[in-house]
Amino acid sequence: MSVVLQKWGNSAAVRVPAAVLRELGIALGDRLDLKTDAGRLVLSPATRRPRLADLLAATPRRNNRADGWDDMAGTERER
């Protein structure tokens, strides 16, 4: 498949056909990693950093040490 490099503001852009986006499972707004490899331009889906909420949701309940903190009573004095 051949595409044309075009001016986009002060940068250059390549239009990716919708069929290619569907085939790769990427959509507008997705982050991509850009690199060069042996004279080739390579785009790939960026590695996504996990969100804290997703990590906590995947943690077994028995490992969730935050449970019950709100009803703990210590021996500290207020200043």
Side-chain angles (χ1 to χ4, degrees):
M1 174 182 301
S2 178
V3 295
V4 177
L5 187 63
Q6 297 177 327
K7 184 171 177 57
W8 186 28
N10 290 328
S11 301
V14 173
R15 292 181 188 221
V16 180
V20 173
L21 296 177
R22 279 192 302 273
E23 180 181 335
L24 297 175
I26 56 179
L28 295 176
D30 286 356
R31 291 201 172 275
L32 302 174
D33 287 328
L34 170 67
K35 68 178 185 174
T36 58
D37 183 20
R40 293 176 184 253
L41 182 67
V42 180
L43 284 173
S44 56
T47 304
R48 294 191 176 160
R49 294 181 62 194
R51 295 181 320 134
L52 179 58
D54 296 334
L55 293 172
L56 291 175
T59 303
R61 187 126 177 101
R62 68 179 179 278
N63 291 344
N64 190 343
R65 304 271 191 247
D67 285 346
W69 278 19
D70 53 344
D71 60 345
M72 293 178 76
T75 58
E76 304 88 14
R77 293 191 323 222
E78 290 186 25
R79 293 180 188 224

